[in-house]
């Protein structure tokens, strides 16, 4: 599979935390398109993207993927395009739901950005309950120098 193809996007706007992964097969990709009919897909800033609106490319010969519109003036510099580039918003969504079921809804997450060498990635996230009494930290890259040791 072509590693340059964009496999992840977000729904609704450039700063959205609602991730979407493009399926690799035609039928499932068409299902995704129909499920989100009328929605907008974005090269999410929280995925390391440019924040521009993107489109779906679903054909029978090439692997389905998201793509920037051809009239974009500036090229996106997003380096992480695979499914794992959206791990942090999926983890956030699931943890938010779990915390809410525990009676401890969380505030907006703090995403810990990776070093400049791995621009666009997320080293981890920190969720704090709305009352400030509980915290959950998720480490996605424990080799990153910005992650505090022993936490």
């Amino acid at each position: 599979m072509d590693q340059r193809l964009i496999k992840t996007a977000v729904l609704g706007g450039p700063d959205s935390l609602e991730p979407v992964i493009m399926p690799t097969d035609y039928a499932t990709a068409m299902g995704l398109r129909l499920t989100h009919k009328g929605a907008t897909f974005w090269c999410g800033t929280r995925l390391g993207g440019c924040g521009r609106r993107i489109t779906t490319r679903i054909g029978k010969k090439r692997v389905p993927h998201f793509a920037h519109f051809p009239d974009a003036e500036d090229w996106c510099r997003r380096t992480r395009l695979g499914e794992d580039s959206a791990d942090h918003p999926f983890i956030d969504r699931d943890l938010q739901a779990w915390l809410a079921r525990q009676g401890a809804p969380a505030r907006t997450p703090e995403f810990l950005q990776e070093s400049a060498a791995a621009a666009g990635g997320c080293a981890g996230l920190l969720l704090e309950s709305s009352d400030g009494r509980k915290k959950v930290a998720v480490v996605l890259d424990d080799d990153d120098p910005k992650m505090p040791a022993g936490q």
Side-chain angles (χ1 to χ4, degrees):
M1 181 170 20
D2 189 341
Q3 297 301 316
R4 296 169 298 166
L5 302 179
I6 302 172
K7 298 300 298 173
T8 58
V10 293
L11 289 171
D15 297 325
S16 170
L17 286 174
E18 193 173 345
V20 179
I21 294 177
M22 177 61 74
T24 56
D25 67 281
Y26 175 81
T28 309
M30 288 302 291
L32 175 115
R33 184 186 276 172
L34 291 172
T35 299
H36 296 293
K37 187 175 184 177
T40 55
F41 298 102
W42 298 80
C43 184
T45 56
R46 294 175 189 242
L47 301 180
C50 63
R52 293 179 190 245
R53 191 169 167 195
I54 56 180
T55 187
T56 57
R57 294 275 169 88
I58 304 171
K60 292 187 177 182
K61 292 185 179 182
R62 289 189 69 193
V63 174
H65 61 281
F66 294 104
H68 289 86
F69 288 96
D71 61 345
E73 292 178 22
D74 297 326
W75 290 100
C76 181
R77 306 235 190 284
R78 183 173 164 187
T79 57
R80 297 186 66 208
L81 306 173
E83 292 179 9
D84 65 341
S85 67
D87 284 349
H88 52 294
F90 279 113
I91 292 168
D92 171 55
R93 180 195 66 194
D94 293 345
L95 278 175
Q96 293 273 2
W98 179 77
L99 287 168
R101 288 192 306 271
Q102 306 304 313
R107 298 178 178 159
T108 301
E110 177 185 347
F111 292 109
L112 308 170
Q113 297 302 311
E114 287 184 0
S115 63
C122 183
L125 61 125
L126 180 64
L127 282 173
E128 185 175 350
S129 62
S130 58
D131 63 7
R133 295 177 42 207
K134 298 175 182 148
K135 291 184 181 183
V136 176
V138 177
V139 176
L140 298 172
D141 182 1
D142 60 357
D143 289 333
D144 191 279
K146 289 188 178 181
M147 289 301 297
Q151 292 191 16

